[in-house]
Amino acid sequence: MSRAIGIDLGTTNSCVATLVEGRPIIVPNSEGGRTTPSVVTFTADGQRLVGAAARRHVNHPAHTITSIKRFMGRQWDEVTEEMAMIPYQVERGADDDVRIAIAGRQYTPPEISAMILQQLKTDAEAFLGEPVSDAVITVPAYFNNAQREATQAAGKIAGLNVLRILNEPTAASLAYGLDQAQEQTVLVFDLGGGTFDVSILDLGQGLFEVKSTHGDNHLGGDNFDQAIVNWMLAEIHRAWGLNLTADQGQVSRLRLIAEAAKVALSSKPSTQITLPFPNEGKPCLLDLSREKLNALTVDLLARMDRPVQQALADAGLASSDIGHVVLVGGMTRMPAVADHLRHLIDKEPQDGIDPDEVVAIGAALQAGILAGAIKDILLLDVTPLSLGIETRGGIFTRLIARNTSVPTHKTHTFTTAEDGQTSMEFRILQGESEMAAFNKTLGSFRLDGITPARRGLMEVDVSFDIDANGILHIHAEDITTGNGRQIRIEGGAVLSEAEVTRMTEEAEVHAGDARRLHDLAEARNLAEILADEIERSLSVQRDRIEACHEAALEDQIRRLRDALKNDEASEIRTRIQGLTEAAQVLIKGAHGATRKTKSRENVP
Ligand code: AMP
């Protein structure tokens, strides 16, 4: 087996690690950097630069691609917020996907990510002196199918054999060897350049289970840098009367200076900033203290509270239940960030591995496990939202519940909703509402060639499989004919971590409405099936029952059909009861007329 590497493909920075004699090491890039900016730039003379070289290229912000991870596997109508944050141009692709437009050419996000991965691969090969082909690549725990698939595709384009797509918090815990210890609960606190994630994991004896994840997709080091830039712009205006707000090139330079000041203040109490322009031949200087930085960013620090509390609440835990805290992301080096977390969870964080290297180290260990160099670790992750399909009446029928450990496999039998139905349309959904309309559609497909028969008779087995990479495979098979269709969810499954939170919250808000609609849809389904079935039985058995019973049954059927004209579930249920009682004469007279009324879910 050739050498395998672990890659933390970050929003802002990426990092590579590998095992040397069984121990993980960071693989530096060609400039000696232990992390590589996830930046690609296309220069005016047609060159393509990746990493630190691209990051220094601040003069062409429109040709410099940053934060490509935010666009991975996402669709056009879901990236409005992201678009406002980037200086380069994105366009709508033919599949409603996002394309990056540079110098008259369009690139897909996986293509751009692949340029970063290719650079990491090349640099690793140069450092290690041997070819690298296999890799474990990490993604946030909340990444959905499309985002994971896009990451896998990026790996392939870069010429890598992707051994596994691994969750970042799982990798970080693995790096600390927390799987070896007694069973415990770990909180992984990840504040990177552009995103904030909190994950709670259950670990022990090689078992990894993500209990909950929360975060803020728009909170990271960039916000801290921006707070410093805003302060600098105001100071520059005040001291030298210059308004640089609209000067993109100057603002980009100030941003780099702001970041350097922020990093410096992690290890010293104050720093002097030299501005990128002189005034009357003298350098322009600004002093910034740690206290001042903390004051400028106090609202950003406060934004960390809710995701932490929400992750605890979702896992059903109190902060005192947390056994270990693991820090991930360069921003956790800022003393005020770590202090704020200590205030939230009264526990000293794990120490010893650089927070911006810990995920790559874990990925390298996982690569070692898969390559057989390390044994006996079983990895479990969970689905962030429930998965299922839409059934008759707009009901969401769950196949896989939220927080189920993956890999997982579930099969469910569905039946036809109409008489003579020859095809079934499956709409695959993700979300927590009982009604399909409140959930997110991931995709749909049709199974044709169903033998025409009475409603509820033809059965189709639908199985959902989530593989170890978290990718969803769906298989539907007509039980009678053996005719089947297999699909993978691609492209449509677009949920950011913020959306997972939003959808979960919305499902809670709409829970009352959804329950009412669900109750109504269920009553309607039952009523329609019951009325049809009894009418059918009645037409067959008319001669065998007394005229008064026949009249009573017809009356009950009419009342039930009338009730169906209104949206009153209780009224419909009363009428169902009335008809069921009247139909006793049929059940006595024949075999199982109403047997099918409590059928499996029907698919229109
Ligand atoms: P990551 O995405 O994990 O690489 O984190 C990158 C973010 O961490 C950037 O915003 C960096 O400016 C920030 N960062 C890196 N090192 C430090 C440090 N020593 N102090 C404060 N922030 C840092």
Side-chain angles (χ1 to χ4, degrees):
M1 188 156 185
S2 69
R3 175 168 292 280
I5 55 174
I7 303 176
D8 169 10
L9 183 61
T11 308
T12 329
N13 293 300
S14 295
C15 186
V16 178
T18 192
L19 297 189
V20 172
E21 288 165 8
R23 298 184 66 82
I25 61 150
I26 291 295
V27 178
N29 62 30
S30 58
E31 294 192 8
R34 293 170 71 84
T35 62
T36 301
S38 307
V39 182
V40 178
T41 195
F42 297 80
T43 64
D45 57 0
Q47 273 192 76
R48 199 172 81 195
L49 302 175
V50 178
R55 185 133 199 260
R56 285 192 294 268
H57 214 79
V58 290
N59 288 327
H60 293 286
H63 286 188
T64 302
I65 318 303
T66 51
S67 300
I68 192 65
K69 190 170 175 178
R70 292 185 185 276
F71 294 111
M72 290 289 277
R74 306 192 69 195
Q75 285 201 301
W76 180 255
D77 55 354
E78 275 144 332
V79 293
T80 334
E81 270 182 63
E82 273 71 21
M83 273 173 356
M85 297 168 54
I86 47 146
Y88 51 92
Q89 201 188 339
V90 291
E91 290 172 356
R92 189 185 205 128
D95 303 327
D96 278 339
D97 57 338
V98 181
R99 300 284 168 90
I100 315 301
I102 297 283
R105 243 205 84 172
Q106 280 192 340
Y107 297 89
T108 62
E111 281 178 297
I112 302 283
S113 277
M115 292 171 192
I116 300 166
L117 288 171
Q118 207 167 32
Q119 185 71 44
L120 298 175
K121 177 179 185 288
T122 308
D123 284 4
E125 286 172 339
F127 177 81
L128 297 164
E130 59 182 302
V132 169
S133 60
D134 296 334
V136 166
I137 305 178
T138 60
V139 294
Y142 59 80
F143 254 31
N144 62 20
N145 295 315
Q147 292 168 299
R148 285 165 199 268
E149 292 214 356
T151 307
Q152 207 165 28
K156 265 196 208 132
I157 300 168
L160 289 165
N161 169 33
V162 182
L163 298 174
R164 175 140 321 165
I165 298 291
L166 178 68
N167 284 344
E168 288 160 10
T170 306
S173 305
L174 194 49
Y176 276 109
L178 291 174
D179 60 297
Q180 310 291 339
Q182 301 261 300
E183 271 183 31
Q184 57 208 308
T185 305
V186 179
L187 183 138
V188 180
F189 181 97
D190 181 350
L191 188 64
T195 54
F196 172 48
D197 302 311
V198 183
S199 312
I200 295 178
L201 293 92
D202 256 355
L203 310 181
Q205 284 146 21
L207 205 85
F208 283 69
E209 191 179 351
V210 181
K211 302 284 286 180
S212 64
T213 73
H214 254 277
D216 184 335
N217 218 5
H218 298 290
L219 178 63
D222 297 347
N223 303 77
F224 289 72
D225 301 346
Q226 190 59 45
I228 301 174
V229 169
N230 293 345
W231 169 79
M232 284 161 82
L233 286 169
E235 288 294 300
I236 291 166
H237 191 242
R238 195 177 56 79
W240 297 282
L242 288 171
N243 187 351
L244 302 178
T245 320
D247 185 337
Q248 267 207 15
Q250 284 290 20
V251 172
S252 294
R253 260 171 236 125
L254 289 182
R255 195 164 285 129
L256 287 184
I257 294 170
E259 190 194 357
K262 174 190 73 179
V263 170
L265 288 175
S266 289
S267 52
K268 54 186 190 176
S270 67
T271 187
Q272 191 167 59
I273 295 169
T274 308
L275 294 171
F277 51 85
N279 188 43
E280 292 169 0
K282 280 188 276 166
C284 296
L285 303 173
L286 284 175
D287 286 317
L288 183 61
S289 69
R290 197 181 274 178
E291 278 73 34
K292 181 70 188 169
L293 171 64
N294 294 351
L296 290 172
T297 56
V298 72
D299 54 329
L300 298 175
L301 294 169
R303 274 169 66 185
M304 305 188 315
D305 298 2
R306 205 169 160 262
V308 172
Q309 283 150 2
Q310 199 63 50
L312 283 168
D314 271 12
L317 297 172
S319 64
S320 55
D321 296 322
I322 300 298
H324 295 280
V325 172
V326 171
L327 298 181
V328 178
M331 272 311 296
T332 60
R333 289 219 183 88
M334 179 171 162
V337 169
D339 285 347
H340 198 84
L341 179 61
R342 276 189 201 94
H343 164 74
L344 288 171
I345 311 274
D346 187 19
K347 184 127 282 152
E348 253 330 281
Q350 293 283 308
D351 202 12
I353 307 180
D354 273 335
D356 33 22
E357 299 177 355
V358 65
V359 170
I361 297 272
L365 289 166
Q366 174 67 41
I369 294 164
L370 293 172
I374 305 172
K375 292 199 171 58
D376 298 335
I377 294 184
L378 170 68
L379 281 167
L380 276 183
D381 281 326
V382 300
T383 53
L385 289 171
S386 301
L387 292 157
I389 71 167
E390 176 174 355
T391 52
R392 187 188 166 103
I395 290 176
F396 173 57
T397 300
R398 264 187 189 74
L399 268 85
I400 298 177
R402 152 177 220 206
N403 284 340
T404 301
S405 297
V406 296
T408 184
H409 173 94
K410 293 276 159 61
T411 301
H412 197 95
T413 305
F414 294 92
T415 65
T416 44
E418 305 295 338
D419 289 347
Q421 191 176 327
T422 55
S423 69
M424 275 162 120
E425 183 83 31
F426 293 94
R427 193 145 80 92
I428 296 115
L429 301 153
Q430 191 170 35
E432 298 314 312
S433 178
E434 293 181 50
M435 293 306 287
F438 293 125
N439 290 329
K440 165 115 194 153
T441 301
L442 299 184
S444 61
F445 70 97
R446 232 164 85 136
L447 186 65
D448 290 314
I450 292 174
T451 317
R454 263 172 56 192
R455 142 169 81 212
L457 283 185
M458 300 319 291
E459 296 180 326
V460 170
D461 271 350
V462 176
S463 57
F464 276 32
D465 249 302
I466 304 181
D467 67 19
N469 295 325
I471 292 167
L472 175 62
H473 305 260
I474 297 160
H475 179 75
E477 187 176 311
D478 182 334
I479 297 179
T480 318
T481 62
N483 177 24
R485 276 201 69 180
Q486 183 121 32
I487 65 156
R488 262 153 71 106
I489 292 293
E490 274 176 285
V494 188
L495 286 175
S496 69
E497 197 277 341
E499 284 168 307
V500 171
T501 311
R502 178 179 59 75
M503 285 175 63
T504 310
E505 284 170 0
E506 274 181 15
E508 278 163 26
V509 171
H510 293 303
D513 286 346
R515 208 165 301 125
R516 261 191 307 284
L517 288 169
H518 185 265
D519 188 40
L520 178 63
E522 238 181 21
R524 282 185 158 283
N525 288 347
L526 187 58
E528 282 167 7
I529 294 169
L530 188 70
D532 284 0
E533 290 285 342
I534 291 178
E535 254 172 3
R536 205 182 331 250
S537 299
L538 185 59
S539 67
V540 177
Q541 299 184 50
R542 212 173 281 278
D543 302 341
R544 279 191 246 152
I545 56 175
E546 289 172 29
C548 62
H549 286 144
E550 185 185 338
L553 264 174
E554 276 172 347
D555 182 48
Q556 289 294 347
I557 292 170
R558 202 196 65 246
R559 283 167 180 245
L560 180 55
R561 295 230 186 264
D562 282 348
L564 278 171
K565 290 178 191 149
N566 301 319
D567 284 341
E568 275 302 323
S570 59
E571 168 73 6
I572 296 171
R573 287 203 190 277
T574 310
R575 294 295 158 217
I576 288 173
Q577 182 70 23
L579 179 56
T580 314
E581 279 163 18
Q584 291 307 312
V585 287
L586 291 178
I587 297 168
K588 281 182 205 135
H591 43 276
T594 57
R595 201 186 52 218
K596 280 241 167 251
T597 53
K598 203 171 179 336
S599 72
R600 273 145 298 186
E601 289 82 5
N602 309 126
V603 177

